[in-house]
Each structure stands twice: as C-alpha cells, then as structure tokens.
Amino acid sequence: FGWPSVARLDDDTLVVVASGLRTDHICPFGRTVLCLSRDLGRTWTSPRVINDTPLDDRDAGVLCLGGRRILITWFSSDTRPWFAQEWMQSRWRTLPEEQQQWWQAGLANMTDEARARFEGAWLRVSDDGGETWRPPVRVPVNSPHGPILLRSGALLYFAKLWEPLSGLESGPEAGQIVAMSSPDQGQTWTLRGTAPLIPGTIWANYHEAHAVELPSGKLIGAIRLQSAAGPQGDVTRAGLDDFSVVLTESRDGGQTWATPRSVGILGSPPHLLRHSSGTLVLTYGYRQPPFGQRVALSRDEGETWEADYILRDDGPDTDLGYPATVELPDGDLFTIYYQKPHTTQDRCGLLWSRWRLDEFA
C-alpha cells in the first residue's frame, strides 16, 4: 500500500484512500482502495477496492464535499515501459517464479486498447460515505492529495497538467503546475492560472503540488522540487535543494502566482492544512537518514516556516512518505503516510501518527 490521503467527514468518520493490494513500488496491480474509521483513527475497516483498471492505479486523493459526500482522485499508468528498463529486469529476476508469473499475467492486461481507455487522471464522487460511486470522470491534472474545497464552494486543483488543454489557442503545456477550478464537484474544469518557473529550473523539476486557502483569500501552493535527467534538470545548479519543497502564493484566486521560493523544507511531497488555531501545517516525507515523516509549521500565514519537526524517524529505507493530515474535533492532528513497518524486507503499509501542535511549541 502506498501514497495515501485522508479526509474527515462531517460525522467525524475518517476516510483513507491509497493505492493498494500491490506487489511492489512499480507493478501491474495497483488498485484504488478505501478504509474507514469511526473512532478517530484507532481502528479501521479492511481495505475496499473502489477502482481497478487493467493499468496500475496509483496515488489517491480524498476530499469531503460536505455531509457524507466524498471525492477521490487517482491516476492510471501503463507501466509496460518501466519493465523494459534494465534495472527493472534485474528486479524481475530476483522475484520468486510464482510472482514473475503474476507480473507477466498483469502486464498482459496492459494492452494498447486499455491504455487508450484508462491512462490518465481521474476522479469519482460518492454521495453516501463510500458505499456507492458515480462513474469516473477524466480530469486534466493530477496531484497525490487531490483538490481542495474553497470557501466559495468551488474546487481548486493545484497540480501537474497531464496533457494540453483543449479549446485553448495558447495555454500551459503538459507538465506545468497549474491551478484549475470546478464549480460542479469535479465534473468540469476551467484553467485559472499557471505557476511560474524559478530561474534556472525546468518544468521537469516540478511535481506533486498541493494548496491551502487562508481566511484572507490568499492561496498558498507547495510543490515538490526535484532534479531531472540532464544538466539542465539539476536544481542544485540554480542554488536549490534537491527533493525539497518550494512555496508559491496567489492573491487573486489562483489567476497569478508568485515565483516559487525555497523555505528550507528538505523533503517531499507536501500536504498543506490550516489548523483551527491559524497555524499552517505542512507534512512531508524525509528520505535522508534518519528516514521518516516530518512537519513544517508557519504561524504567520506562510511568511516564515519552522521545518523538520519529526513525527517519526524509524523508516528502514527511502520508500516512504506522502503524508496527509486532518484536524480532529479536539484539535489533535491525524497524519496518514506509508512506509515499511519494520525492516527493508517488509511490504510497504499505511501507518499513522496522532499528535498535537503543542508538542512542537
């Protein structure tokens, strides 16, 4: 299981979604799964499959739309090109024969027809707390934790553009970080604006964004910054930290965005939450020793940040992260993430932390 997100419904049910029932970090078997907790995270239902295409269904975002209405997001990927690479072939050869046969059968389902039908970014809506689901809707952008709900009732999705937008004579290219809005719970989407590049970087450096709206209406966007192949893709040449978070903001509803800036958060990808106290909470995976999950806090609406508060530092390797956080009724915070529970031989699982802001006062 990996790349989870969490939401709290109006009746205090917690909903976690993830890519689950996998055999590896890259495999043919990813499914979108959902778990529920009715005691604020202490116990959970078994994972329920709510999406399973012939492709690898990866990441999963979740958002409460009010009441028991839930929106989930994910993307489906044809992983056949990965299996043609030598490092993946080497990985294949280390697997037990039975698992090699599973992979061969799974890859056989990834036909060109399946790719044309299913590859891309998607969302679904449930009106009854996840019991039943409307048909999937294709969306033009994707980011691990999905869109946010604005005070206006519209959705804002600060994310990576999957493919060029149709109907525009000129517009953002695939791979850019954009803000899109939906007035109808994700059925249709309109471009609001595009985040600018930091000088010396390229769009291949920007990934897995998330946003939060402040009471003033200001939007803060957080983006995973990472080096890409080739010398032009090396973010360190621009004086930036690799695998870090950069922040941008918009004061006009997402139409224009400030040039992203580094604030010393050495991990990724980010998830943003505004606590009822006004403190901004940014959680992220930390893939340097000691591996684990960390928190950055801002008590001045994103102007300055205190980074690297440790939620846990017992990860056995770098295959971890993607934390997402909700506030509980008593002000506690609940953060879901994935990592191997004990040793490098474990399968990745979904783990959680419950904590309070005053632990990091």
Side-chain angles (χ1 to χ4, degrees), residues 25 82 144 160 175 177 197-198 200-209 222-238 240-246 260 262 265-270 285 287 318 320 322:
H25 192 98
W82 288 95
K160 199 172 184 73
I177 301 295
L197 285 170
I198 300 172
T201 65
I202 59 177
W203 279 116
N205 298 138
Y206 296 81
H207 312 278
E208 299 180 327
I223 307 168
R224 170 178 173 172
L225 185 74
Q226 187 167 358
S227 291
Q232 289 187 331
D234 185 357
V235 299
T236 64
R237 292 179 50 168
L240 299 163
D241 293 307
D242 200 6
F243 196 69
S244 63
V245 173
V246 292
S262 175
I265 299 174
L266 302 181
S268 262
R287 294 185 176 180
T318 61
L320 54 71
Y322 291 72

Side-chain angles (χ1 to χ4, degrees), residues 303-315:
E303 295 300 318
T304 61
W305 291 83
E306 307 157 21
D308 283 343
Y309 291 116
I310 297 172
L311 282 185
R312 67 187 305 157
D313 58 3
D314 60 349

